[in-house]
Amino acid sequence: QVQLVQSGAEVKKPGASVKVSCKASGYTFTSYGISWVRQAPGQGLEWMGWISGYNGNTNYAQNLQGRVTMTTDTSTSTAYMELRSLRSDDTAVYYCARVFYAGMEVIDYWGQGTLVTVSS
Amino acid sequence: DIQMTQSPSSLSASVGDRVTITCRASQSISNYLNWYQQKPGKAPKLLIYAASTLQTGVPSRFSGSGSGTDFTLTISTLQPEDFATYYCQQTYTTLWTFGQGTKVEIK
């Protein structure tokens, strides 16, 4: 069965960086993409970006350009999301999710989420 | 970026009711529209993709329709487990966006 298992909760100070991991299993990692989505407390879903599991191509949300980097390690079927220069409004649950192609990109399976708290 | 606007933002309904949620895109997105359900403290779950294709395992009381800029998610007979927040999402451009969500509450 498809599983995406994320790393544990993080507490960071403003200005620091965080790197969240997402280990995939139950499918061929390089045949799908990985998207990252975050959700601030009590708020809606915010799409952060997408990375191809095949060739590592990326698309990032415009408001995060320059602060976010998404990578993959195909040898371990793991995706990573690094966010730099953290601010208090980056406090959120961060989700990784699998992307499949059905004539268009569709997010189907989600990780359990990683809470990142930014506080001085 | 393409803006996705859902309406209503919240609604109260009873078990057995028919519920319709709308999602409007700021420009045409053909049928590049997906719907997700999220329950408190849980990750979202894919319900419908490509505007009207039911994801495997999702009950048939859920249906989606629309094309271009206007889309709807319908729950034909609301069940207790359907009380949740629903999000639409477009993947028409390389910059994907979600609607703000519609919370379906118990009346």
Side-chain angles (χ1 to χ4, degrees):
Chain A
Q1 71 283 20
V2 174
Q3 280 195 305
L4 298 169
V5 178
Q6 299 183 222
S7 49
E10 304 261 15
V11 179
K12 297 291 184 180
K13 294 193 182 302
S17 299
V18 69
K19 192 170 186 177
V20 180
S21 67
C22 170
K23 184 168 177 58
S25 61
Y27 71 96
T28 302
F29 185 77
T30 52
S31 296
Y32 297 80
I34 293 286
S35 187
W36 291 87
V37 175
R38 69 179 180 178
Q39 187 169 38
Q43 302 302 307
L45 303 173
E46 179 188 6
W47 179 75
M48 299 179 66
W50 168 91
I51 182 167
S52 166
Y54 175 68
N55 58 17
N57 286 349
T58 54
N59 284 317
Y60 299 138
Q62 287 186 332
N63 66 322
L64 294 173
Q65 285 274 2
R67 285 206 302 139
V68 68
T69 301
M70 297 175 188
T71 57
T72 59
D73 180 345
T74 56
S75 69
T76 60
S77 299
T78 303
Y80 299 91
M81 186 284 300
E82 181 180 32
L83 189 61
R84 300 176 292 278
S85 302
L86 289 168
R87 310 186 293 242
S88 58
D89 62 356
D90 291 317
T91 295
V93 175
Y94 288 75
Y95 293 103
C96 66
R98 190 181 80 162
V99 179
F100 80 95
Y101 189 75
M104 63 193 67
E105 286 84 4
V106 181
I107 293 174
D108 57 355
Y109 287 92
W110 297 68
Q112 83 276 17
T114 296
L115 175 62
V116 176
T117 303
V118 183
S119 174
S120 55
Chain B
D1 293 11
I2 296 177
Q3 307 303 315
M4 306 300 294
T5 303
Q6 291 181 230
S7 60
S9 295
S10 64
L11 64 90
S12 295
S14 301
V15 172
D17 284 353
R18 181 182 182 90
V19 169
T20 297
I21 297 168
T22 65
C23 178
R24 175 163 290 174
S26 59
Q27 66 184 72
S28 177
I29 57 170
S30 184
N31 68 332
Y32 287 57
L33 191 283
N34 308 315
W35 289 98
Y36 300 88
Q37 176 195 66
Q38 187 181 33
K39 296 181 179 179
K42 300 294 187 182
K45 172 188 173 183
L46 176 65
L47 297 176
I48 287 169
Y49 63 94
S52 61
T53 302
L54 198 65
Q55 171 68 343
T56 302
V58 174
S60 59
R61 63 180 179 274
F62 290 93
S63 64
S65 65
S67 184
T69 60
D70 294 318
F71 302 86
T72 60
L73 172 70
T74 299
I75 310 171
S76 60
T77 308
L78 197 65
Q79 297 299 303
E81 59 269 30
D82 301 336
F83 291 96
T85 300
Y86 295 84
Y87 294 92
C88 62
Q89 181 212 21
Q90 67 81 20
T91 59
Y92 184 72
T93 64
T94 55
L95 303 178
W96 306 348
T97 45
F98 286 93
Q100 82 279 14
T102 295
K103 187 174 184 178
V104 177
E105 298 176 299
I106 302 172
K107 194 171 193 177

